[in-house]
Amino acid sequence: MNKPNIVILGAGYGGIMTTVKLQKKLGVNDANITLVNKHDYHYQTTWLHENAAGTLHHDRTRLPIKDVVDFSKVNFVQDTVVSIKPEEKKVALENGELDYDYLVVALGFEAATFGIPGLLDNAFTIGNINSARLIREHIEYNFAKYNNETEKKQERLNIVVGGGGFTGIEFVGELANRIPELCKEYDIDRNQVRIINVEAAPTVLPGFDPQLVEYAMNSLEARGVEFKVGAMLKECTPNSILIEKDDKQEEILTNTTVWAAGVRANSLVEESGLEVNRGKVEVQPDLRAPSHPDVFVVGDCALIMNEETGRPYPPTAQIAIQEAELAAKNLAILVGGGTHLESFEFMDRGTVASLGHDDAIGVVFGDKKLFGWSASVMKKMIDNRYLLKLGGLGLLLKKGKFNIFH
Amino acid sequence: MNKPNIVILGAGYGGIMTTVKLQKKLGVNDANITLVNKHDYHYQTTWLHENAAGTLHHDRTRLPIKDVVDFSKVNFVQDTVVSIKPEEKKVALENGELDYDYLVVALGFEAATFGIPGLLDNAFTIGNINSARLIREHIEYNFAKYNNETEKKQERLNIVVGGGGFTGIEFVGELANRIPELCKEYDIDRNQVRIINVEAAPTVLPGFDPQLVEYAMNSLEARGVEFKVGAMLKECTPNSILIEKDDKQEEILTNTTVWAAGVRANSLVEESGLEVNRGKVEVQPDLRAPSHPDVFVVGDCALIMNEETGRPYPPTAQIAIQEAELAAKNLAILVGGGTHLESFEFMDRGTVASLGHDDAIGVVFGDKKLFGWSASVMKKMIDNRYLLKLGGLGLLLKKGKFNIFH
């Protein structure tokens, strides 16, 4: 009897956790497992804003795939997915093609710029290791140039972050810590530098507890962050943005616009012919595509409705990891000849947003509000828990965040 | 009786050493001493290539003027000199004007680009702290961008250094050490990166012992430096240079051209009306301007003929420091009412060129040739000796180079 080919696309939170769980559940005689990823490393997307701000080195955020995936059990193919062909049960790669019996689509997100003029070309996004370290270098480069020019250019020192959601707020929190260091490094007065957060909704962190939002804004403003809420980003050029608030337009000079206000599922999913809703596959309770029972979808490419609110669960690392665990379990059942798959149930472990290295806000244990140092400790514990789950104690000790007391 | 006003322009090697020596020789009742400098720090110009390569932080290269100059004895004016008016015995600053009885001109060098098209606008120079750290950031920024572009641009990874003199060679030596680190940081294959030194003369380090030059080129080539000797730089654009060798032209793609092939005296000297030869003041043996006995000139703005060779001494830190010591001595004689000033005699302490952190070539003690580790130790000793002379043991321990065994 032929062993089934299981192909997992992407080594982000969803893909790597599916692979790691699967390699524990299945023996080499049960299935051929192949993991495809563009890079030979996994990275924690939720830490990238720290790399972009320059408060954490990107080597802390990424880890070699071979450190957590057992290459004697899993084939690793470093390549870029070009298209998914569910009718032919094939995946086209830049340098080849793979057949599958079971597919796990875990291709993550890409930026959505909603057609705002100039944004695609002129704004940076915090999407991967390359783009995050480019933001870090771009800010530094502008600071380095500032004192070399006779006519001082304020656009070198203004940093605009589009979007007051999770990523945008966490990023300005890191910037607020980083900018004073950069000012020292490049002999620039801190008061010359502006960090501006632009959010279209009437408040940042929409959906978060209003008291915690108030705390977050106060904490960030005290460290020099300016908020423009209820303001639409209308245009982005290489050295400015145009925003509109209460029917009044304002131009802000900046060489650095970081767009953190919109993500969508990897567009390969929509192009694949799989049935989509808002660009994502609205999966069955067992996480398979309704039209293709041999295709599992996890992470940002999957859409699951929250029955309580009637709205989809937001795309987070937490839900991706939980989906991956179930996908691995259900795949093992299928490979073992079973037919009764388990259904996904989201277990909300709480949400904590970092505001810098020793400050955060969050809601945990259902309804317990946290802010300040205790919340930042909780945030680090959540990050550490993931590492423990992914690679055991060794990985936790190597990559964990233990700077709790300073 | 009025105390004479002594004004010292510039806090480079010549200016700061004149000031430090003078504050020891004169009491507060003897003279008003004023030091004028653009920044509130002194820096060691001969270390800037390390800051530019990123192998040494610029805070190691600079030191606050207040750490070595006694502000209870010396007035420090942080300002930029606009013009020298020797007929009126005045100096115009951006924010004021100073009268002097005695003037010390120690305004250093500026880049000379010999009218080569595009060089002034598109090449970087290693002239001061601002320009050196900009080069460091510029190289890093290009490396950071490389992997963010679908169409890879080789000009981001090619670094051209114009000039195979002292600065050019020392700079490529540091780059050869730094580039492998940058490749690791930005996930770039070292073999993709080119470091190209372009020199118009038939050999690099013209005037240096040919055996040592041979050693230097071998050492640098073994670390991936390419030499184009006998090649003229004809043009520089933002992303390329054009060179000509044996009547054949070659275009090299590069976003980073560092011009280290020409310096001239600060042009304020020529504009001042002081009599000049090749833009410098050919000083009397007592270091005063022939036409103006109240003006001393030291460092790169002074020209002194080497009687043995019939050519001017090259502008180096070594000669600037020796000139400064004599200028301070002669100023003290004048202030004390003396008339018999001492004459300058250059004491050649040898020349060592660094090729990276543990390699160098040099000639010391008249004719002793050194290369490799022993020469690099000698280089560090020369650097340390200067710090000891400038600021005593405290400064040496704070800023000295002690990494002799690694």
Side-chain angles (χ1 to χ4, degrees), chain B residues 61 86 96 119 136 140 158 166 238 266 299 301 317 359 386 399:
Chain B
T61 294
L119 206 54
R136 177 194 74 188
E140 286 199 28
N158 288 353
F166 226 76
N266 192 315
C301 297
D359 200 2
Y386 168 70
K399 299 278 183 176

Side-chain angles (χ1 to χ4, degrees), chain A residues 41 57-58 62 124 128-131 133-134 136-138 140-141 144-145 147-148 184-187, chain B residues 41 57-58 62 124 128-131 133-134 136-138 140-141 144-145 147-148 184-187:
Chain A
Y41 53 82
H57 192 270
H58 55 264
R62 65 177 169 180
F124 295 84
N128 53 51
I129 294 284
N130 280 324
S131 69
R133 72 184 156 198
L134 177 58
R136 177 193 76 190
E137 287 304 313
H138 181 79
E140 287 199 28
Y141 190 51
K145 279 205 159 175
N147 277 326
N148 280 278
K184 192 156 171 277
E185 175 73 11
Y186 295 103
D187 300 322
Chain B
Y41 53 82
H57 192 269
H58 55 264
R62 65 176 169 181
F124 295 85
N128 53 50
I129 294 284
N130 280 324
S131 69
R133 71 184 156 198
L134 178 57
R136 177 194 74 188
E137 286 304 313
H138 181 79
E140 286 199 28
Y141 190 49
K145 280 204 161 177
N147 276 326
N148 280 277
K184 193 154 170 278
E185 175 72 11
Y186 296 104
D187 300 322

Side-chain angles (χ1 to χ4, degrees), chain A residues 124-308:
Chain A
F124 295 84
T125 54
I126 305 176
N128 53 51
I129 294 284
N130 280 324
S131 69
R133 72 184 156 198
L134 177 58
I135 293 170
R136 177 193 76 190
E137 287 304 313
H138 181 79
I139 294 170
E140 287 199 28
Y141 190 51
N142 277 283
F143 276 53
K145 279 205 159 175
Y146 186 74
N147 277 326
N148 280 278
E149 290 162 330
T150 315
E151 197 185 327
K152 299 291 181 244
K153 294 183 177 166
Q154 183 58 35
E155 56 265 43
R156 298 207 181 280
L157 306 185
N158 289 353
I159 302 170
V160 171
V161 178
F166 226 78
T167 306
I169 292 302
E170 291 199 318
F171 182 49
V172 295
E174 295 300 318
L175 282 178
N177 285 349
R178 177 66 175 149
I179 292 304
E181 295 173 8
L182 284 182
C183 287
K184 192 156 171 277
E185 175 73 11
Y186 295 103
D187 300 322
I188 290 167
D189 180 359
R190 169 64 183 90
N191 296 319
Q192 282 293 111
V193 181
R194 294 175 68 191
I195 306 170
I196 304 157
N197 185 265
V198 178
E199 169 58 46
T203 172
V204 299
L205 294 172
F208 233 72
D209 177 273
Q211 282 183 310
L212 293 178
V213 171
E214 181 72 17
Y215 174 86
M217 289 180 75
N218 284 338
S219 166
L220 293 169
E221 280 173 343
R223 283 184 282 146
V225 176
E226 299 169 51
F227 289 99
K228 306 262 182 189
V229 294
M232 298 289 292
L233 213 160
K234 305 297 284 184
E235 194 186 350
C236 178
T237 80
N239 48 29
S240 72
I241 58 154
L242 186 67
I243 60 172
E244 190 175 287
K245 182 178 174 170
D246 303 332
D247 293 327
K248 273 180 19 196
Q249 294 200 333
E250 184 189 358
E251 190 192 32
I252 300 173
L253 293 179
T254 178
N255 288 352
T256 311
T257 300
V258 177
W259 180 242
V263 293
R264 48 156 296 160
N266 192 314
S267 49
L268 290 174
V269 172
E270 189 153 22
E271 295 161 8
S272 71
L274 289 168
E275 195 183 307
V276 293
N277 175 357
R278 305 166 217 207
K280 302 181 177 199
V281 177
E282 189 170 351
V283 289
Q284 302 187 121
D286 57 18
L287 302 179
R288 293 189 288 178
S291 55
H292 293 80
D294 45 6
V295 177
F296 286 81
V297 186
V298 299
D300 298 349
C301 297
L303 187 145
I304 297 177
M305 294 305 280
N306 179 343
E307 301 296 335
E308 283 178 38

